[in-house]
Amino acid sequence: MKKIIAAILLFSTLSSFAQTYKPTQENIQSRNDFANEKFGIFLHWGLYSIFGQGEWYMTNENIDCHEYAKSAQAFYPHNFNAKKWVEAIKASGAKYITFTTRHHDGFSLWETKQSDYNIMNTPYGKDVVKELADECHKQGIALHLYYSLLDWTREDYPLGRTGLGTKRKNASKTGNWPSYLQFMNSQLTELLSNYGNVRAIWFDGWWDHDEDSIPFDWQFNKLYDNIHRLQPQCLIGNNHHQHPFEGEDIQIFERDVPGENKAGLSGQTIGRLPLETCQTMNGMWGYKVKDQNYKTPKELIQLLIRTSGKGANLLLNIGPQPDGNLPDTALARLVQMGTWLKENGESIYGTTAGDIKQGDSIISTQKGNILYLHFLNEKEHRQNLSITLSKKVKKITALKDSSTIPFKQKRGVLDFEITIPKDNIDYILRIE
């Protein structure tokens, strides 16, 4: 029954468009730039960071939203330094940042005129979106802005399936949708008018109404048209776990490489838009004091490789601490990924999905007439390989040291032998 309702909702959402969206040349260029970059950093930060329980703390613990809002008077991230954030992220080899301007708890991290519930009315009193945007523009890092479609605090937001215990006094299933839609459009207008070039808006929360008995119409055409009018190059992605809707420019997969559905959130078909996988560096999106379960450098690097092998980007998340620092372990992972990308980045940046598909242990990426084979085997061993490849091979070298790999090719079958080194993360062949 849930699948039937989801299908009806999807049809309702798509039918609200005239099916006439045509991206501008600036937008197409943004898509190309985005697809070539392959690696970005997600930053989940807000009032929830104070509690150290992750970004869903309010709804998970049924916190009274009015009591929760009092934490704004304790928000003072005295160690926040946009310059250091961007420098560390840039050194990791990441090419863009996606920052949570307003999450489901409704708190805005910029100087918005649409609500008093924002960072300017805290002891800190500084517009961190502006500071981060200015630094991204200065250091040449593309800026993407996350924006929540749902709100656990506003009474005009129609109640969905989350945030039901946050004690909004006059909230209802119908809410006041025209008021809430105007609020979102006004906030998005601020973000796209006052912070320079924004390369993407990253929406989240559609799924809050995916089980409604009556299909919910988000009227995305009004939001999307406004964004493309204000900044034609600005890309739109929506973390709805569905096939892309009309007007979108990026397809997002949550916690899954495209084509996989291990987390149960990414069963949608793969479309023709640029692809992005978002994944956490540890277990949570927002800062959780007990969550030190960080993925190893090998796991993160191999995730980037497997994502690139699908022609997709990896958006890797960090939850900054309430004081404004990035966690030490996260910073260490950024350094380790940056070191690897300095040596091997040519096999990742600017590539598309490769023609060779050999399960999880052999991944391929491609750039023009160069095919990169990534061997993710962990144990040292010699390996004889026969790979079907229709194009004539001129040369095979190991990317690490440019050593030549002897090979034979006959009737579209490529035969060669390699030795996987000990403690291998990724042994890469460059096939011309």
Side-chain angles (χ1 to χ4, degrees), residues 96-110:
Y96 62 97
I97 290 172
T98 303
F99 182 68
T100 53
T101 62
R102 171 178 163 270
H103 209 269
H104 311 326
D105 65 358
F107 183 75
S108 299
L109 285 168
W110 77 96

Side-chain angles (χ1 to χ4, degrees), residues 70-137:
K70 294 177 182 178
S71 66
Q73 294 311 308
F75 192 58
Y76 192 78
H78 55 284
N79 285 326
F80 170 69
N81 186 315
K83 183 174 184 291
K84 289 184 177 180
W85 276 21
V86 177
E87 284 177 346
I89 290 168
K90 186 175 182 178
S92 76
K95 303 298 184 182
Y96 62 97
I97 290 172
T98 303
F99 182 68
T100 53
T101 62
R102 171 178 163 270
H103 209 269
H104 311 326
D105 65 358
F107 183 75
S108 299
L109 285 168
W110 77 96
E111 189 175 2
T112 179
K113 292 181 170 56
Q114 311 310 316
S115 168
D116 291 334
Y117 194 34
N118 69 72
I119 197 168
M120 304 308 291
N121 295 315
T122 69
Y124 190 66
K126 298 177 185 178
D127 187 333
V128 297
V129 174
K130 184 173 190 328
E131 293 187 26
L132 187 62
D134 288 348
E135 200 58 44
C136 283
H137 299 324

Side-chain angles (χ1 to χ4, degrees), residues 36-207:
N36 285 330
E37 290 176 352
K38 289 295 180 288
F39 182 33
I41 293 295
F42 214 167
L43 295 167
H44 270 73
W45 198 44
L47 283 189
Y48 46 83
S49 306
I50 295 176
F51 302 99
Q53 300 298 318
E55 74 290 350
W56 275 54
Y57 176 62
M58 184 196 293
T59 188
N60 285 347
E61 298 299 326
N62 292 320
I63 306 297
D64 184 317
C65 65
H66 307 95
E67 293 299 314
Y68 180 97
K70 294 177 182 178
S71 66
Q73 294 311 308
F75 192 58
Y76 192 78
H78 55 284
N79 285 326
F80 170 69
N81 186 315
K83 183 174 184 291
K84 289 184 177 180
W85 276 21
V86 177
E87 284 177 346
I89 290 168
K90 186 175 182 178
S92 76
K95 303 298 184 182
Y96 62 97
I97 290 172
T98 303
F99 182 68
T100 53
T101 62
R102 171 178 163 270
H103 209 269
H104 311 326
D105 65 358
F107 183 75
S108 299
L109 285 168
W110 77 96
E111 189 175 2
T112 179
K113 292 181 170 56
Q114 311 310 316
S115 168
D116 291 334
Y117 194 34
N118 69 72
I119 197 168
M120 304 308 291
N121 295 315
T122 69
Y124 190 66
K126 298 177 185 178
D127 187 333
V128 297
V129 174
K130 184 173 190 328
E131 293 187 26
L132 187 62
D134 288 348
E135 200 58 44
C136 283
H137 299 324
K138 182 178 179 181
Q139 295 195 40
I141 293 287
L143 178 66
H144 297 190
L145 299 179
Y146 169 109
Y147 187 85
S148 174
L149 293 164
L150 67 91
D151 194 304
W152 295 327
T153 64
R154 287 183 65 92
E155 296 177 3
D156 55 357
Y157 172 71
L159 289 173
R161 61 177 170 88
T162 67
L164 299 179
T166 63
K167 298 179 175 59
R168 282 167 283 179
K169 295 176 181 176
N170 298 308
S172 67
K173 283 287 186 181
T174 55
N176 184 343
W177 180 247
S179 169
Y180 187 71
L181 182 61
Q182 179 59 45
F183 164 74
M184 288 198 295
N185 252 328
S186 296
Q187 282 210 317
L188 289 164
T189 297
E190 290 177 341
L191 291 170
L192 291 162
S193 300
N194 302 328
Y195 298 91
N197 186 297
V198 175
R199 197 179 60 187
I201 295 292
W202 207 98
F203 285 115
D204 190 23
W206 175 93
W207 34 261

Side-chain angles (χ1 to χ4, degrees), residues 369-371 392-397 407 430-432:
N369 288 324
I370 299 175
L371 180 74
K392 184 178 180 180
V393 173
K394 296 180 179 179
K395 186 178 183 181
I396 304 178
T397 54
F407 68 93
R430 187 179 191 271
I431 302 178
E432 298 179 36

Side-chain angles (χ1 to χ4, degrees), residues 207-227:
W207 34 261
D208 197 43
H209 284 280
D210 63 2
E211 296 181 358
D212 290 10
S213 57
I214 299 174
F216 187 83
D217 185 2
W218 288 93
Q219 295 181 271
F220 284 131
N221 55 329
K222 293 183 179 179
L223 291 172
Y224 292 2
D225 287 351
N226 186 44
I227 291 167

